[in-house]
Amino acid sequence: MRVNGIDYRTVWMEGRSVFLIEQNLLPFQFSIHEAKSCAESCHAIRTMMVRGAGAIGAIAGFAMAQAALEAHEQGFLSFLQKAKTEIESTRPTARNLFYAVEKVYAAALISRSAAVSVAQQVADRDAADSRKIGEFGSELIQDGMNIETHCNAGWLAFVDYGTALSPIYQVHRQGKKIFVYADETRPRSQGARLTAWELNQAGVPHTIIPDNAGAYLMSLGKIDMMIVGADRIAANGDVANKIGTLEKAIAAKEFGVPFYVAAPTSTFDQECPDGKSIPIEERSADEVLFQDGLTSDGRHEKILVCSPGSSAFNPAFDVTPAKYITGIITENGIIKADGGTIDHLLNGKI
Ligand code: MRU
């Protein structure tokens, strides 16, 4: 993705360091953060400096490679196992994190250089899959369509291109006229901050809508299609995605709006039979109670936006049953989740 005339990936590795676009500072400041060790990469995942299923997967793979480079000959295996547990404890929901760590861990058992090259392959595959998702998804989008999206499943959430936004960028480049409604996505506002920033960079016409406006817009016939990303997809096609996705899917069904999920097969989890077995992250109440933003004199400030003394519950994801999903756009094509196991639908290409 091009920012200020320079091509960037969301996260990459050079030597022993991992570099990443610091997403907590966007859209106010574009800055690159260096994580010099596996521990620093874990911190970046926990604090959401880097976020989004594919980007988390890529940095988790790089963190595992960092651990392989940090480990001494003596006690190599136990150091590696400890690092694996540490990385896997950072965030529980996105399947891509576990997918990447398992692959790089297996390579690290062969050699340090194998760990680094497999981590790089995982990141490269994420970018390539996202590009393919854009190609398949673009076939669904007609000239003049209004598309709603939730959270940020753009290039910032992956190594490059994105998933839900990848088809949108593709048709925009083809010259089709489209308009995007970006759900603000409380409490961390990934839609209002990141999706809107990305769409601005790419020149895609859009507007930000409050989280609770989607059903109303659908009832007015203003939404032609909804595309969202996914953090984990169970074997029966149930989809875990950012909190708020489920109510949009139910509204879409009610108003006859096609509801698509865009995700690479590295997000599919054959070990989870259905959505109930997907672990859902609960994050700090402070993310609901406080908001940070830019003051009129250009300072970053965090302020309390709720009743002082009240508590808050903050589940980060919800699960949309397969029956609400029109189709899942993958790097291998578009599949229908409802009506068969997904590995059958993908002919084993997971
Ligand atoms: O908590 P986040 O920002 O890491 O959430 C993950 C997501 O980006 C979304 O759930 C997204 O819609 C799916 S995958 C990029």
Side-chain angles (χ1 to χ4, degrees):
M1 185 68 194
R2 247 179 139 62
V3 181
N4 304 327
I6 300 171
D7 280 326
Y8 286 95
R9 282 186 163 192
T10 305
V11 55
W12 67 97
M13 189 170 180
E14 278 173 32
R16 286 175 168 236
S17 284
V18 173
F19 293 86
L20 55 102
I21 295 171
E22 216 298 28
Q23 300 195 34
N24 288 322
L25 299 179
L26 286 173
F28 311 117
Q29 193 181 321
F30 182 81
S31 144
I32 305 300
H33 175 84
E34 179 178 0
K36 294 187 175 140
S37 63
C38 173
E40 288 186 14
S41 292
C42 288
H43 175 74
I45 301 172
R46 264 198 202 93
T47 56
M48 292 175 68
M49 284 182 198
V50 59
R51 47 139 301 280
I56 292 175
I59 188 171
F62 288 142
M64 197 68 244
Q66 283 177 308
L69 296 175
E70 287 160 21
H72 295 297
E73 211 55 62
Q74 205 178 4
F76 183 80
L77 191 60
S78 68
F79 186 91
L80 221 56
Q81 285 166 343
K82 227 174 124 215
K84 180 173 183 282
T85 307
E86 175 70 6
I87 302 164
E88 289 180 337
S89 71
T90 52
R91 296 195 70 193
T93 304
R95 169 65 195 148
N96 309 57
L97 183 149
F98 300 88
Y99 164 88
V101 170
E102 282 154 20
K103 282 208 170 316
V104 181
Y105 177 79
L109 297 179
I110 299 165
S111 70
R112 290 182 172 85
S113 63
V116 174
S117 80
V118 169
Q120 190 55 53
Q121 282 166 25
V122 167
D124 290 346
R125 181 189 155 179
D126 183 79
D129 288 350
S130 295
R131 197 173 57 75
K132 291 291 282 178
I133 285 170
E135 285 165 17
F136 284 116
S138 66
E139 289 165 21
L140 300 167
I141 302 175
Q142 315 296 324
D143 195 45
M145 272 190 164
N146 294 309
I147 305 161
E148 183 177 346
T149 188
H150 190 68
C151 193
N152 171 262
W155 68 271
L156 286 166
F158 290 82
V159 173
D160 207 346
Y161 301 98
T163 52
L165 296 190
S166 188
I168 288 169
Y169 293 137
Q170 177 92 3
V171 297
H172 178 69
R173 280 194 297 271
Q174 288 166 358
K176 284 185 190 159
K177 280 195 186 58
I178 45 158
F179 190 84
V180 178
Y181 288 94
D183 295 347
E184 62 174 342
T185 321
R186 278 277 283 152
R188 292 195 62 115
S189 304
Q190 289 95 329
R193 289 172 177 237
L194 305 178
T195 297
W197 180 79
E198 275 193 30
L199 294 172
N200 260 330
Q201 296 288 315
V204 178
H206 67 281
T207 195
I208 299 162
I209 55 171
D211 277 334
N212 36 16
Y216 173 62
L217 290 179
M218 289 181 200
S219 77
L220 297 178
K222 288 195 181 292
I223 308 291
D224 299 306
M225 168 191 218
M226 182 136 194
I227 316 182
V228 300
D231 293 274
R232 194 182 292 231
I233 302 178
N236 71 339
D238 291 351
V239 169
N241 192 51
K242 183 53 58 191
I243 192 76
T245 303
L246 171 60
E247 58 194 49
K248 302 292 177 295
I250 296 170
K253 183 109 178 161
E254 172 67 22
F255 295 109
V257 174
F259 186 93
Y260 284 94
V261 170
T265 50
S266 49
T267 303
F268 289 63
D269 187 356
Q270 294 298 302
E271 304 293 307
C272 281
D274 54 38
K276 284 194 221 60
S277 41
I278 298 177
I280 299 295
E281 177 180 16
E282 189 185 326
R283 293 188 62 86
S284 162
D286 279 4
E287 293 185 349
V288 178
L289 300 173
F290 294 86
Q291 286 285 284
D292 73 292
L294 205 61
T295 61
S296 52
D297 57 352
R299 281 174 298 110
H300 270 118
E301 213 167 83
K302 188 172 172 181
I303 54 164
L304 180 68
V305 292
C306 296
S307 164
S310 290
S311 64
F313 172 51
N314 186 16
F317 302 95
D318 58 25
V319 175
T320 299
K323 67 177 180 183
Y324 294 112
I325 298 165
T326 310
I328 303 179
I329 310 163
T330 77
E331 75 275 19
N332 298 324
I334 302 169
I335 58 169
K336 179 88 186 70
D338 190 14
T341 58
I342 46 183
D343 67 333
H344 165 71
L345 293 162
L346 281 165
N347 295 323
K349 282 195 258 169
I350 293 183

